[in-house]
Amino acid sequence: MLASDVGPNLEKVVEYIVAKSAFQKKAVFRLLENGDPQYLEFAELVVERLNRALGNHEGVHAYLADCYLNYTKAIRIEEMYFAKENKYRQSEFDKVYEEIYGNNNYMAEYVAGLGMTQIFWLNHYAIFRFFLDQFLPLIQGARTGAEIGVGHGLFHSELLRLTPGLRTTLLDISPVSLDTTRKMIAAAGVDPERTTSILCDVQKEIPLEDGSLDVLLMGELIEHIQEGRAVMTKLGDKMRPDGFCFFSTAANAPAQDHILLFRDTGEIRSFIAACGWKILKEQTGTINNISLEKAEREGHNINYVAVLTKA
Amino acid sequence: MNNGYVHQKSIEVFARILGVDPATISVDSSPATISEWDSLAHVQLILELEKAFDIQISPDQAMEFENFKMVTDWISTQV
């Protein structure tokens, strides 16, 4: 039985999920039972926005549920591989591109499933709250921005909605991600013409002017990239001296497209510093609220989010 | 190795990993009947069952298991 303050779109998706997966039924009910009004409002907003971005058709709630279940199933498979082999399954970007980013049908489901994790995974929700509460207040008045690896577009749609006057460039290797993000921006009531989409592999070129960015978003990007250090270093050149970068990544977080493996937060901080960035503020999180110390010692998932500036 | 051995040893593994009384585990047990059996625990169960029976369970196979009986039936074909 769901609480009465669960929104109608969220409720429909949850109904499909609990009917199809005993595992997710438990997880979702636990989450919703403990959900505060702010969380429930956010969760409804995400589903409603994805719904509109995907065309608001009759089967969209079932589609979102299926995408989420498929996404989580793929993660569980990777977790088993990681637990056995102590490394991520993927090591080459070209192979990931072939399997995932270059496969438009797969990507459509992938970005929808990933979008649903923003509400059903508390660690992803915590990252989004950091983005809203800690990052966006820093960039009011920003004029020029970019996001690398736009994914489902939720972050970018909120960036534009809450930062009037900002114009941005979207860079992604997947046309599906670029298209979904523009639709999410429109679904948020923002003019998508405030953005320019560029289909590109940032490991080969970063088509942004040096010293041009007030704002850069690179959420959950770097672990997907084989040439992570080179890209992160070059991105620093694109910033204005007083620009801010929203950065998130994860340690010990196997996924079907993760390549760069961080073992602990120390490795992440060293990586950031070695690429010429400075940490202004940061936040870490773990699954099931285990201590950071235990997660690092035993190799469990750690989420890391920070505001960076050029060093 | 007979099915009774697989059944009993699997109960021991399930009870230890899920932290439940072995007497509560039966052929009817599933994630719906054991609250501690969630998706994260499922990964640990698979890893411990592999060790206990000295077998390999592919991740794809592991994700097909929906209840205790499916697990033990499959293990019985492997040992």
Side-chain angles (χ1 to χ4, degrees):
Chain A
M1 187 69 170
L2 295 176
S4 58
D5 43 2
V6 171
N9 287 287
L10 178 61
E11 184 173 3
K12 281 183 190 170
V13 171
V14 168
E15 279 174 5
Y16 284 110
I17 289 174
V18 301
K20 289 188 172 182
S21 168
F23 284 142
Q24 291 304 321
K25 177 180 180 180
K26 270 187 282 197
V28 166
F29 274 2
R30 267 201 300 259
L31 189 60
L32 295 181
E33 279 166 7
N34 297 326
D36 64 77
Q38 186 184 42
Y39 163 77
L40 291 173
E41 187 182 335
F42 164 78
E44 174 66 14
L45 177 146
V46 172
V47 181
E48 196 270 339
R49 197 174 290 175
L50 278 166
N51 181 359
R52 267 193 281 153
L54 295 173
N56 201 17
H57 57 80
E58 194 180 334
V60 75
H61 297 96
Y63 176 76
L64 286 171
D66 282 337
C67 291
Y68 175 67
L69 293 173
N70 290 338
Y71 189 89
T72 53
K73 182 178 176 182
I75 293 288
R76 294 286 100 83
I77 288 172
E78 299 297 332
E79 282 174 347
M80 282 183 229
Y81 180 90
F82 183 67
K84 289 181 189 179
E85 305 294 333
N86 196 28
K87 64 180 184 179
Y88 293 162
R89 185 170 58 84
Q90 301 284 12
S91 59
E92 295 174 10
F93 184 82
D94 288 348
K95 188 162 177 288
V96 175
Y97 180 83
E98 189 183 330
E99 289 179 13
I100 299 175
Y101 309 134
N103 181 339
N104 289 346
N105 289 333
Y106 188 89
M107 271 306 284
E109 293 191 5
Y110 171 98
V111 294
L114 182 62
M116 297 306 291
T117 68
Q118 288 299 147
I119 57 177
F120 290 130
W121 292 6
L122 279 180
N123 54 339
H124 278 186
Y125 176 59
I127 290 169
F128 194 74
R129 286 248 55 98
F130 181 94
F131 176 71
L132 293 178
D133 301 336
Q134 305 287 326
F135 182 73
L136 290 186
L138 294 172
I139 60 158
Q140 295 307 302
R143 309 297 295 177
T144 307
E147 179 168 9
I148 319 293
V150 296
H152 43 66
L154 177 65
F155 285 77
H156 211 92
S157 62
E158 286 299 275
L159 170 75
L160 290 176
R161 190 174 73 82
L162 298 170
T163 317
L166 180 67
R167 300 188 72 85
T168 60
T169 305
L170 314 175
L171 296 116
D172 203 292
I173 199 163
S174 159
V176 172
S177 273
L178 290 170
D179 183 55
T180 303
T181 296
R182 287 182 73 84
K183 286 175 177 167
M184 284 290 279
I185 291 167
V190 175
D191 181 2
E193 295 309 311
R194 284 172 59 194
T195 69
T196 302
S197 299
I198 301 178
L199 184 68
C200 68
D201 178 356
V202 292
Q203 294 169 112
K204 293 175 180 159
E205 60 160 346
I206 303 176
L208 298 167
E209 280 184 36
D210 284 356
S212 65
L213 299 178
D214 298 312
V215 180
L216 174 64
L217 305 189
M218 43 188 310
E220 310 266 321
L221 165 78
I222 210 70
E223 62 272 26
H224 298 249
I225 291 182
Q226 194 172 339
E227 305 297 333
R229 184 168 290 210
V231 169
M232 185 85 176
T233 302
K234 284 180 194 163
L235 283 170
D237 297 337
K238 308 300 177 186
M239 302 299 292
R240 286 187 174 149
D242 55 352
F244 293 106
C245 171
F246 172 80
F247 174 84
S248 68
T249 187
N252 308 314
Q256 62 267 44
D257 54 351
H258 284 186
I259 295 171
L260 180 59
L261 170 58
F262 296 113
R263 300 284 183 180
D264 53 47
T265 51
E267 283 191 6
I268 295 172
R269 291 189 191 101
S270 298
F271 172 84
I272 290 168
C275 295
W277 293 85
K278 188 171 67 180
I279 299 164
L280 197 65
K281 56 172 87 173
E282 64 177 5
Q283 179 177 296
T284 58
T286 61
I287 305 287
N288 292 338
N289 289 323
I290 64 171
S291 71
L292 179 62
E293 213 174 33
K294 180 179 166 72
E296 293 189 328
R297 191 175 60 246
E298 298 180 3
H300 297 301
N301 185 98
I302 300 163
N303 287 96
Y304 179 89
V305 58
V307 179
L308 309 180
T309 58
K310 264 186 86 169
Chain B
M1 234 177 277
N2 61 37
N3 290 353
Y5 171 79
V6 170
H7 179 88
Q8 193 51 44
K9 194 160 186 174
S10 297
I11 284 179
E12 289 169 19
V13 171
F14 271 67
R16 178 163 51 83
I17 298 303
L18 300 178
V20 299
D21 183 345
T24 63
I25 299 170
S26 71
V27 290
D28 297 323
S29 293
S30 73
T33 65
I34 302 177
S35 62
E36 292 82 358
W37 188 353
D38 61 18
S39 58
L40 294 175
H42 191 74
V43 174
Q44 286 306 310
L45 279 173
I46 297 304
L47 298 173
E48 292 300 319
L49 288 165
E50 284 187 331
K51 283 183 203 164
F53 292 101
D54 193 21
I55 57 173
Q56 291 290 313
I57 305 173
S58 75
D60 286 313
Q61 178 61 52
M63 295 311 294
E64 297 299 317
F65 296 142
E66 293 179 356
N67 53 53
F68 181 80
K69 186 172 186 306
M70 284 179 78
V71 175
T72 54
D73 283 352
W74 187 84
I75 291 174
S76 295
T77 68
Q78 304 297 309
V79 295

